[in-house]
Amino acid sequence: RLLADTTFSASLRATALYAVGSVPLGLALALALALLLRAQSRAASLVRTIVYLPAIVSPVIVACVWRFLLDAEQGWLNGVLLQCGIHGPAWLRDASTVTLAFIGVSLWSVGAQMLVFLAALQALDPALEEAARIDGAGPCARLRHIVLPSLSPVVLFNLVTGTIAAAQIFTQPYVMTQGGPGDASRYLVLYLFETA
């Protein structure tokens, strides 16, 4: 019966689409933030704390805030777009934009992944980067040939945990859209909850 259930297959598709969009973007943003904030300074510590804070806020509160920000009529995001002369979409009421909205919401809490990347970056041997710098390697070459290969276990860890988190998304669609419009945000765990 499950294999013949069209809602189940729609929820699998929606979950896969969300994971394919949110996991790579989350990894890239977390790594970029870790690279920017790896310096030891008071300002960097403050920004690291600010970036990490959304990761520890209750998901229900985050979902309520984003539901307000993405509201089609009174939302802050569409208000900013309107000031720029762009008529914003109904983010949470349009099947073509709801997944994009949830991917954007997922980027709000990349602080935990950023901290894992940051810890790995600070554990790197600085002599390797210094030797590459002396040999004439620029920042991009050092990132590509020194930093990223050294971070490959951490990238794999964040990829696995990010994929698991994407497959388990529940609170945001439950609070923000209740799985709508149609089944566009009826992700797998929400569908399992409703069926149970």
Side-chain angles (χ1 to χ4, degrees):
R1 197 170 59 205
L2 186 67
L3 294 176
D5 187 349
T6 56
T7 308
F8 176 70
S9 58
S11 72
L12 280 179
R13 272 193 307 276
T15 305
L17 183 62
Y18 170 75
V20 165
S22 66
V23 173
L25 285 175
L27 280 175
L29 181 60
L31 180 59
L33 287 169
L35 289 168
L36 288 173
L37 300 173
R38 75 192 275 198
Q40 297 295 332
S41 69
R42 192 172 262 181
S45 297
L46 179 65
V47 174
R48 276 186 290 229
T49 303
I50 292 170
V51 169
Y52 182 69
L53 278 177
I56 60 174
V57 173
S58 167
V60 174
I61 294 171
V62 170
C64 289
V65 168
W66 278 101
R67 185 177 60 189
F68 170 73
L69 292 174
L70 295 171
D71 185 72
E73 285 83 31
Q74 301 172 357
W76 178 79
L77 182 59
N78 279 356
V80 170
L81 290 175
L82 196 58
Q83 294 294 327
C84 299
I86 302 169
H87 184 69
W91 294 101
L92 300 176
R93 288 185 272 153
D94 186 354
S96 63
T97 58
V98 71
T99 300
L100 292 174
F102 280 112
I103 290 170
V105 171
S106 75
L107 298 179
W108 172 258
S109 58
V110 296
Q113 289 184 333
M114 185 241 358
L115 280 184
V116 174
F117 277 128
L118 193 59
L121 283 170
Q122 291 176 345
L124 288 179
D125 185 7
L128 291 173
E129 284 190 81
E130 186 60 31
R133 186 181 294 116
I134 291 170
D135 284 344
C140 292
R142 288 195 307 272
L143 176 67
R144 183 174 166 213
H145 297 293
I146 305 291
V147 175
L148 288 180
S150 301
L151 291 180
S152 58
V154 178
V155 171
L156 179 63
F157 173 78
N158 276 340
L159 177 67
V160 169
T161 57
T163 303
I164 291 169
Q168 292 179 336
I169 184 173
F170 170 76
T171 307
Q172 292 87 345
Y174 182 73
V175 172
M176 295 167 71
T177 62
Q178 293 79 43
D183 290 327
S185 66
R186 194 171 311 286
Y187 300 116
L188 186 58
V189 177
L190 177 60
Y191 174 65
L192 293 175
F193 169 77
E194 290 172 346
T195 304

